[in-house]
Amino acid sequence: MAAALLSSLLIFSFLSLGAPLSSNYYQKTCPNAESIIRKAVTDATKNDKTAPAGLLRMHFHDCFVRGCDGSVLLKSKGKNTAEKDGPPNVSLHAFYVIDNAKKALESACPGVVSCADILALAARDAVVLSGGPSWDVPKGRKDGRTSKASESTQLPAPTFNIAQLQQSFSQRGLSLEDLAALSGAHTLGFVHCASFNNRIHNFNSTTGIDPSLQPSFAANLRRVCPANNNAKNAGVPMDPSSTTFDNTYYKLILQQKVVFSSDNALLSSPKTRSLVSKFASSKDAFSKAFVKSMIKMSSINGGQEIRKDCRVVN
Ligand code: HEM
Ligand SMILES: *[C@@H]1O[C@H](CO)[C@@H](O)[C@H](O)[C@H]1NC(C)=O
Ligand SMILES: *[C@@H]1O[C@H](CO)[C@@H](O)[C@H](O)[C@H]1NC(C)=O
């Protein structure tokens, strides 16, 4: 009896952690929340064309570690090294945009809007400002109190093959369709040499360069990133239109001109390969699938509180 009661309490508290998100969550408590966040993203992007890519990637990192709970925003403190200072952190940036939005929100409606929601909305605004689709973002996320560098290794690596990618996504309730659509975020941004050096130097004991790279594309990557001689900031844009959210990424996959093994891996399962072809021939089909999968990814549950400062727990 007591055990049954206890277990039903446990189930109840588990379910309440996962309180459903809703579109009108801040309608009464902070009606201008969305326009305040949009202004922070728009203002930043005027001076910093790299901000949208930074925000979109940051939201992905947030959701893949402990759910979308703003854990990626927390800074290291004392002996604890935070997620953002963990190994896959190269190029995580644009944190200041979230700070600016939070500052404005705290003066309009103090203690109401979570940092996790700010990041989810900023990622949507980043896509829209880059010429991509818009969508209604469900809100009501809570911020978490834990962020550990060791957990950032739970993120998928650019060296992953299709089986590893599928496993990483399915552990978060995301399908191969979600993988194919969300990878299209790699239409935006910049990549450092360290993220693809494995494909252009000492690929394996028989071949120096990954044979699945188109040869002139590989030659250019080697020009930018010579062996043992990478300037810290050296790298290449994700695609030639790397500030425009479009379906070029999928056309480049078909030409084997994408930087990561994980991008190229979308060709190695029939399901993802057929989606790559579909998205390459229709920006509209890509946009629809991307929106659906973003809403799914950004609904992965997380935290407990509404942080006052996005970089530190209350
Ligand atoms: C499928 C597994 C994925 C892997 C292995 C992966 C890996 C990476 C890596 C290694 C970088 C480059 C870091 C650097 O060299 O600076 C990167 C950049 C980026 N990723 Fe992914 N990613 C994945 C999925 C996603 C998803 C789902 C999104 C968002 C929905 C995303 C958005 C981005 C963006 C926008 C950038 C550019 C960031 C910038 O320019 O600052 N990625 N990704
Ligand atoms: C990334 O993490 C390393 C530790 O793994 C840290 O030394 C470095 O400062 C971090 N870089 C950024 C940009 O936060
Ligand atoms: C090196 O990679 C190529 C292309 O993927 C492959 O055909 C070959 O078997 C690999 N060699 C070794 C030793 O793994």
Side-chain angles (χ1 to χ4, degrees):
M1 177 64 193
L5 185 63
L6 185 64
S7 70
S8 64
L9 275 173
L10 281 174
I11 288 164
F12 180 75
S13 60
F14 177 74
L15 287 175
S16 62
L17 261 182
L21 305 176
S22 66
S23 286
N24 57 0
Y25 193 80
Y26 296 118
Q27 199 170 49
K28 295 217 170 68
T29 52
C30 196
N32 295 327
E34 299 215 15
S35 58
I36 290 171
I37 295 164
R38 192 181 322 119
K39 182 173 188 310
V41 179
T42 307
D43 286 353
T45 304
K46 279 183 194 139
N47 303 314
D48 176 2
K49 299 290 172 227
T50 72
L55 292 165
L56 182 55
R57 182 173 187 226
M58 206 191 299
H59 180 51
F60 158 59
H61 281 216
D62 189 27
C63 295
F64 263 53
V65 181
R66 294 184 169 268
C68 316
D69 69 341
S71 55
V72 72
L73 303 169
L74 290 171
K75 62 181 178 190
S76 298
K77 199 175 169 219
K79 280 197 195 121
N80 184 57
T81 306
E83 208 175 300
K84 69 189 284 214
D85 293 324
N89 65 355
V90 226
S91 91
L92 273 186
H93 62 99
F95 293 96
Y96 72 95
V97 184
I98 304 301
D99 292 337
N100 290 348
K102 183 64 171 173
K103 217 169 287 165
L105 286 165
E106 286 303 292
S107 69
C109 20
V112 170
V113 182
S114 68
C115 297
D117 274 351
I118 297 174
L119 185 48
L121 287 159
R124 187 271 317 270
D125 294 341
V127 170
V128 174
L129 278 173
S130 307
S134 189
W135 65 95
D136 217 20
V137 176
K139 295 161 287 284
R141 294 167 193 77
K142 294 276 166 55
D143 297 322
R145 297 180 51 81
T146 306
S147 178
K148 293 189 177 137
S150 57
E151 293 180 350
S152 65
T153 56
Q154 294 166 7
L155 288 159
T159 50
F160 272 15
N161 63 29
I162 191 70
Q164 293 168 308
L165 291 166
Q166 180 171 18
Q167 187 190 24
S168 168
F169 274 61
S170 74
Q171 281 166 350
R172 289 145 179 109
L174 300 171
S175 64
L176 280 178
E177 276 125 273
D178 297 318
L179 169 65
L182 290 171
S183 294
H186 288 169
T187 178
L188 291 183
F190 187 84
V191 190
H192 294 84
C193 298
S195 303
F196 57 82
N197 268 333
N198 71 302
R199 299 185 80 193
I200 55 170
H201 304 294
N202 307 317
F203 178 67
N204 69 18
S205 57
T206 49
T207 172
I209 301 179
D210 182 346
S212 65
L213 281 167
Q214 194 273 346
S216 67
F217 181 74
N220 184 56
L221 295 181
R222 278 170 65 104
R223 238 184 333 268
V224 176
C225 309
N228 310 317
N229 188 28
N230 299 163
K232 192 166 162 277
N233 295 320
V236 294
M238 282 284 191
D239 76 20
S241 54
S242 67
T243 56
T244 307
F245 193 97
D246 57 22
N247 63 339
T248 308
Y249 168 78
Y250 297 100
K251 297 177 189 171
L252 294 171
I253 294 181
L254 294 174
Q255 298 166 30
Q256 304 202 285
K257 292 181 180 171
V258 278
V259 281
F260 304 137
S261 302
S262 59
D263 296 323
N264 185 66
L266 297 179
L267 292 173
S268 58
S269 99
K271 175 90 217 169
T272 50
R273 188 171 56 230
S274 85
L275 289 167
V276 167
S277 301
K278 182 175 165 190
F279 298 157
S281 59
S282 168
K283 186 184 174 195
D284 194 49
F286 164 50
S287 295
K288 285 204 175 82
F290 183 79
V291 164
K292 194 170 156 227
S293 296
M294 277 296 282
I295 292 172
K296 220 167 136 186
M297 179 181 83
S298 80
S299 303
I300 303 172
N301 281 312
Q304 308 84 41
E305 66 181 25
I306 308 292
R307 245 176 251 155
K308 294 195 186 71
D309 173 342
C310 292
R311 296 190 189 234
V312 293
V313 298
N314 290 345

